[in-house]
């Protein structure tokens, strides 16, 4: 004896599922832009941060601060969790408003719970995970971020992130033959996005510039950037 086949979903059920799918797609594709510093117009996919997305930032707290500066300067609150080396003086120089900054230097093993709670009330949250996150946990948090319209900046790896930024090369200016003052740092920022996996664009930024700000590098003949550790070896050698 065989079990009867389940009846196919009726037209109303199919239309309901189609509407839910369209709604989920619209949430991702039509998410609102978040005020971002003009220097990132040629760096980020689409030229700006987007509500409800996850952006990974590899190996640079300075780059993370620069990404926080635009939303903060626009009047939004920002939060930073799991980065005990996050310097408030440097943050203020970049334009981050300290009276709208929440710091949780050591969230401990409950870091994911802390991030989820922050994302419920603060529109831009930065975190350095203290452990690996499972894909299922990342997916649940991503749904929460989309619902709240929160941007999550991650200092490290994150499964299914919408974009990733990292510094490929770095060169300081102002140090001549082992003496002088470091005045400006030019970096090559590598950027990848979910839409084009495996492909990464590159842009040059001053991070920081001579006035302790950050900006897109001035057009002109590209310099030959060197890795930061190599430059430090030359300067002290």
């Amino acid at each position: 004896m065989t079990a009867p086949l389940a009846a196919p979903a009726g037209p109303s059920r199919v239309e309901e599922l189609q509407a839910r799918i369209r709604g989920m797609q619209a949430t991702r594709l039509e998410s609102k832009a978040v005020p971002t510093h003009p220097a990132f117009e040629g760096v980020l996919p689409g030229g700006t941060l987007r509500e409800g997305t996850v952006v990974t930032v590899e190996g640079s707290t300075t780059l993370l601060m620069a990404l926080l500066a635009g939303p903060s300067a626009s009047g939004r609150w920002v939060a930073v969790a799991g980065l005990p080396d996050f310097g408030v003086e440097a943050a203020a120089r970049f334009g981050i408003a300290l009276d709208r900054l929440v710091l949780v230097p050591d969230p401990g093993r409950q870091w994911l719970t802390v991030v989820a709670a922050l994302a419920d009330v603060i529109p831009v949250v930065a975190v350095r995970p203290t452990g690996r996150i499972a894909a299922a946990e990342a997916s649940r948090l991503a749904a929460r971020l989309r619902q709240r319209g929160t941007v999550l900046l991650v200092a490290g790896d994150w499964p299914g992130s919408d974009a990733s930024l990292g510094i490929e090369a770095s060169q300081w200016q102002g140090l001549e033959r082992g003496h002088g003052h470091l005045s400006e740092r030019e970096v090559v920022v590598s950027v990848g996005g979910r839409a084009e996996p495996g492909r990464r664009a590159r842009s040059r930024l001053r991070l920081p510039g001579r006035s302790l700000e950050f900006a897109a590098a001035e057009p002109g003949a590209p310099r030959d950037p060197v890795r930061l550790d190599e430059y430090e070896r030359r300067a002290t050698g």
Side-chain angles (χ1 to χ4, degrees), residues 19-229:
R20 290 178 62 184
I21 292 172
R22 285 194 298 269
M24 288 186 290
Q25 290 176 335
T27 299
R28 177 168 296 278
L29 298 177
E30 299 175 9
S31 57
K32 296 180 180 178
V34 174
T36 311
H37 192 279
F40 288 104
E41 289 179 356
V43 177
L44 291 167
T48 184
L49 295 170
R50 311 291 299 186
E51 289 184 354
T53 59
V54 179
V55 178
T56 59
V57 183
E58 303 164 4
S60 175
T61 301
T62 303
L63 183 58
L64 188 69
M65 286 185 182
L67 287 168
L68 289 169
S72 179
S74 74
R76 301 193 181 204
W77 281 74
V78 300
V80 178
L83 284 95
D85 57 344
F86 189 90
V88 293
E89 291 185 6
R93 293 193 191 103
F94 275 107
I96 297 173
L98 301 186
D99 58 344
R100 293 191 301 274
L101 171 65
V102 176
L103 290 177
V104 186
D106 184 12
R109 295 182 179 179
Q110 300 300 317
W111 66 271
L112 186 56
T113 301
V114 171
V115 168
L118 290 171
D120 281 344
V121 295
I122 295 179
V124 184
V125 178
V127 62
R128 177 182 290 154
T130 56
R132 294 186 63 84
I133 181 171
E137 292 176 318
S139 180
R140 285 193 294 271
L141 181 59
R144 194 167 184 167
L145 296 172
R146 290 193 295 271
Q147 183 181 25
R148 300 291 191 268
T150 300
V151 177
L152 182 65
L153 303 176
V154 182
D157 294 328
W158 193 270
S161 64
D162 297 280
S164 62
L165 284 77
I167 292 181
E168 283 195 357
S170 175
Q171 185 176 39
W172 284 95
Q173 305 297 321
L175 194 62
E176 302 292 341
R177 297 183 180 180
H179 61 84
H181 298 282
L182 295 172
S183 59
E184 187 175 70
R185 182 189 183 196
E186 186 172 301
V187 300
V188 175
V189 178
S190 172
V191 185
R194 181 196 292 267
E196 297 179 289
R199 181 178 178 181
R200 298 185 71 85
R202 289 164 180 81
S203 299
R204 291 163 52 225
L205 295 178
R206 295 199 310 272
L207 194 72
R210 294 180 183 272
S211 301
L212 298 178
E213 83 295 359
F214 65 97
E218 295 178 1
R223 299 169 183 170
D224 294 327
V226 297
R227 287 171 43 189
L228 180 57
D229 55 357

Side-chain angles (χ1 to χ4, degrees), residues 4-10 13:
L5 294 174
R13 180 59 175 165

